[in-house]
Amino acid sequence: MEWFLQQLINGLALGSIYALIALGYTMVYGVLRFINFAHSDVLMLGAFSAYYVAPAIEKVLPLPSVLGALVIILISTLICAGIGMLIEFLAYRPLRNRPKLTVLITAIGVSLFIEFTCQHKSVFGADTKPFPQLLPATDFHVLGLIISSNDLLVVFITAILLTALWFIVQRTKMGTAMRAVSFNQQAAALMGVNINKIISFTFGLGSALAAIAGILYALKAPGIEPLMGVQPGLRAFVAAVLGGIGNLPGAALGGLLLGLLETFAGGISGLSNYRDGIAFAILILILLFKPAGLLGKATIEKV
Amino acid sequence: MLEIDHLEVSYGSIRALHGISLKVPEKSIVTLIGGNGAGKSTTLRSISGLIKVRAGNVRYDGQDITNKPAHEIVARGLCHVPEGRMVFANLTVMENLHMGAYLRKDRAGIASDIEYAFTIFPRLKERISQLAGTLSGGEQQMLAIARALMSKPRCLMLDEPSLGIAPILVRSIFDQIVAINKERGLTILLVEQNANLALSISHYGYVLETGSVLIEDTAEALRKDPQVRAAYLGG
Ligand SMILES: Nc1ncnc2c1ncn2[C@@H]1O[C@H](COP(=O)(O)OP(=O)(O)OP(=O)(O)O)[C@@H](O)[C@H]1O
Ligand SMILES: [Mg+2]
């Protein structure tokens, strides 16, 4: 029982991070119908933004502290939202009417470009850097469980962000326009929607979430390096597909599920080396029975 | 009010419009008729900015709007209800109407226009929180027209509002088109396969054939024209 609860908490924390990243994949897929492979690098850039912003903030605010951490997260988020929008503007917008495969290959190119540029010693360098302690970390011992304050924070922040995102998408004009654009761009344009603005906004929003996820991931990781986004990015992409690509609640659900699967498989002694194998085998099984993903539906169009 | 002059449009290497010219005077109803592939939809799509024009120009309210982006053209009060309706299936009826009012900020005006939409299409009111994708074809057409009206256009372009709809519903939709024209003073450019019905409510008509204007005349004269009768009005 204790073991179970412990794994549950660890899994939720990991899954929350996957969920935040998966939302970005699924949102971009929703409006442009392609997988933005550079998304995982925005996550890495989020962690590096925080890494470089932190010393500057430390001169003004004490670190580790909640306020200091919030300011750093906010600044890094804005930087990454800008980077995400820039990637769309420079790399994807010129290819808007090209075949999706062209855009997909471009996305892979952008991803590799960012990763290897950042590895150069005049940029970040390829070595692993220790991530600064942004928050006062303590472990709570409750009912024999060890709950780290970071894990609680990850789950808490994710819950707030998911709610905020739900509100934006379901209740604001911008969100309604996003859903309209994802259904039919031409019809949305005929309503007076500036498609480019909506797509830009979508990239900004997804990248902001990725940046936060990147920082949260870095807090749990031993350190940061330019390829750190690849592993969680790939898992989050799988999570988005698992939930039903293009479906926002699906991405969140897929992320949590994948985090839990991975943690539980890893927690069984003797099996921990096979944790990815087990997690992905279960995924394949789910997709065999629900090819459109857990919450994805085969769309029906009336003519 | 709307004037197009020697419009030429191509899809890749296929020329769809070979220099079409037409005029839609203020507060009138003008119809484009013609067989499949004549270029009717292409004409509307090039006016509303959905496709690029290769040559010729489009003037609205005395201003050149040729090749302006679609969202800017709506802002000028020229709204296009596309063929196949294109309602947002993943949005509710209410959200669709709000999308129609996307460029407006006058909350009170939007609310009263939604009420107006419900008075002309009462069925929509009963389905206010239903996803548009679950509406019947006729209801979707009503929603598409209502949604377009939400942008407060002065000129409305309708592409085959009767397509795939039961005759009785077609009649009522056409009655509403006439009412919108008379009561709200909207200028209407109508594209129809159902030429009889379209000409019966129009002031003027153009007959398109393979991307060119074949005949143009008052609706009344077109309905009597033996050539038009034979080809489009079933004798
Ligand atoms: N997206 C496209 N790509 C290539 N050719 C197209 C495209 N859309 C239309 N065409 C061609 O342009 C011509 C005019 O088509 P258009 O849709 O304007 O006809 P229409 O008069 O509206 O016909 P219908 O009554 O069947 O709707 C046709 O020959 C059609 O095949
Ligand atoms: Mg057509």
Side-chain angles (χ1 to χ4, degrees):
Chain A
M1 185 63 193
E2 262 170 36
W3 176 87
F4 181 83
L5 285 176
Q6 187 70 60
Q7 301 301 334
L8 187 68
I9 292 163
N10 296 346
L12 280 179
L14 184 64
S16 295
I17 292 173
Y18 291 161
L20 290 180
I21 310 168
L23 286 165
Y25 281 111
T26 230
M27 273 195 282
V28 166
Y29 185 87
V31 292
L32 286 181
R33 300 289 186 278
F34 83 97
I35 302 300
N36 174 21
F37 282 107
H39 190 59
S40 61
D41 303 301
V42 174
L43 171 153
M44 173 274 291
L45 291 171
F48 271 95
S49 304
Y51 177 84
Y52 286 110
V53 166
I57 295 299
E58 204 168 9
K59 295 195 177 108
V60 202
L61 292 165
L63 271 183
S65 73
V66 175
L67 184 64
L70 281 180
V71 172
I72 291 168
I73 291 177
L74 187 70
I75 295 174
S76 313
T77 302
L78 290 177
I79 293 173
C80 287
I83 292 174
M85 288 155 87
L86 196 67
I87 293 175
E88 187 274 325
F89 181 76
L90 293 177
Y92 305 146
R93 190 169 301 183
L95 304 175
R96 189 71 58 76
N97 298 317
R98 298 296 172 81
K100 290 295 169 248
L101 192 60
T102 311
V103 193
L104 206 67
I105 303 289
T106 305
I108 295 173
V110 171
S111 173
L112 293 174
F113 173 78
I114 295 176
E115 284 164 16
F116 291 100
T117 308
C118 290
Q119 280 191 334
H120 193 270
K121 61 180 183 303
S122 63
V123 188
F124 302 151
D127 55 317
T128 301
K129 298 180 166 56
F131 195 69
Q133 193 66 46
L134 301 180
L135 282 159
T138 35
D139 286 340
F140 300 108
H141 295 263
V142 193
L143 304 167
L145 303 177
I146 306 164
I147 306 173
S148 83
S149 57
N150 272 346
D151 281 354
L152 280 183
L153 190 86
V154 167
V155 176
F156 180 67
I157 289 183
T158 304
I160 291 177
L161 290 175
L162 290 183
T163 315
L165 186 70
W166 178 88
F167 183 83
I168 291 173
V169 171
Q170 294 295 327
R171 288 286 180 271
T172 68
K173 198 166 177 169
M174 203 69 168
T176 312
M178 267 173 77
R179 286 183 287 142
V181 168
S182 87
F183 182 75
N184 187 326
Q185 291 196 6
Q186 291 201 338
L190 290 178
M191 304 291 107
V193 177
N194 183 341
I195 306 293
N196 284 335
K197 237 164 94 179
I198 298 295
I199 291 174
S200 214
F201 177 76
T202 306
F203 270 84
L205 199 59
S207 304
L209 294 177
I212 298 174
I215 296 172
L216 297 177
Y217 188 76
L219 284 173
K220 292 162 66 74
I224 61 174
E225 43 90 23
L227 297 182
M228 66 174 275
V230 176
Q231 285 295 329
L234 186 64
R235 286 179 168 71
F237 163 57
V238 171
V241 174
L242 175 68
I245 190 86
N247 182 304
L248 292 181
L253 181 69
L256 288 175
L257 201 64
L258 191 62
L260 288 169
L261 277 176
E262 203 181 304
T263 312
F264 274 99
I268 300 167
S269 61
L271 284 184
S272 61
N273 283 339
Y274 304 102
R275 60 182 214 169
D276 285 346
I278 295 168
F280 282 90
I282 295 173
L283 274 180
I284 291 168
L285 276 179
I286 294 176
L287 288 176
L288 274 178
F289 290 102
K290 294 211 66 145
L294 290 170
L295 301 184
K297 351 184 204 311
T299 46
I300 306 156
E301 275 176 47
K302 258 204 184 88
V303 187
Chain B
M1 166 170 239
L2 176 65
E3 217 172 306
I4 71 175
D5 192 31
H6 291 93
L7 210 60
E8 290 177 27
V9 173
S10 305
Y11 292 104
S13 59
I14 307 162
R15 181 71 65 86
L17 299 185
H18 306 267
I20 286 189
S21 299
L22 55 87
K23 278 197 179 78
V24 185
E26 190 151 8
K27 295 194 183 359
S28 65
I29 302 182
V30 172
T31 296
L32 301 185
I33 56 180
N36 289 115
K40 307 180 296 295
S41 302
T42 303
T43 305
L44 296 196
R45 292 163 60 80
S46 56
I47 296 173
S48 64
L50 288 180
I51 42 176
K52 289 270 172 276
V53 171
R54 160 180 286 220
N57 65 70
V58 183
R59 298 179 71 77
Y60 179 67
D61 262 354
Q63 285 174 318
D64 189 6
I65 57 165
T66 320
N67 286 337
K68 290 252 184 295
H71 65 267
E72 284 179 21
I73 290 173
V74 199
R76 292 166 188 251
L78 174 57
C79 196
H80 175 192
V81 179
E83 187 172 10
R85 308 179 274 270
M86 296 193 189
V87 296
F88 302 113
N90 58 337
L91 267 54
T92 65
V93 167
M94 194 58 155
E95 286 173 333
N96 267 275
L97 293 175
H98 276 287
M99 277 309 296
Y102 184 76
L103 293 172
R104 294 172 61 183
K105 301 214 157 54
D106 54 324
R107 280 166 178 261
I110 293 173
S112 82
D113 281 353
I114 289 180
E115 276 316 306
Y116 174 73
F118 288 154
T119 56
I120 55 175
F121 299 122
R123 277 168 173 244
L124 294 180
K125 188 166 191 170
E126 298 159 23
R127 293 166 172 73
I128 192 160
S129 52
Q130 202 170 314
L131 288 181
T134 65
L135 299 179
S136 76
E139 289 160 354
Q140 289 191 4
Q141 187 62 59
M142 294 175 187
L143 178 58
I145 297 173
R147 181 180 67 173
L149 289 176
M150 290 304 299
S151 69
K152 256 195 179 325
R154 281 168 298 122
C155 180
L156 195 60
M157 300 193 287
L158 299 166
D159 198 344
E160 305 210 24
S162 74
L163 193 74
I165 297 174
I168 182 152
L169 215 50
V170 169
R171 192 65 248 178
S172 97
I173 288 176
F174 272 67
D175 287 344
Q176 294 311 333
I177 294 173
V178 173
I180 293 163
N181 168 255
K182 286 225 172 77
E183 290 163 18
R184 298 225 139 184
L186 251 74
T187 309
I188 290 173
L189 176 56
L190 179 65
V191 161
E192 258 300 333
Q193 295 259 350
N194 189 338
N196 238 327
L197 185 59
L199 289 174
S200 75
I201 66 162
S202 303
H203 303 110
Y204 204 81
Y206 292 82
V207 179
L208 257 56
E209 210 173 83
T210 55
S212 309
V213 175
L214 188 68
I215 315 171
E216 60 169 294
D217 212 330
T218 60
E220 219 172 314
L222 286 179
R223 290 171 79 186
K224 292 190 190 127
D225 187 305
Q227 197 186 344
V228 175
R229 289 177 69 99
Y232 302 102
L233 303 177

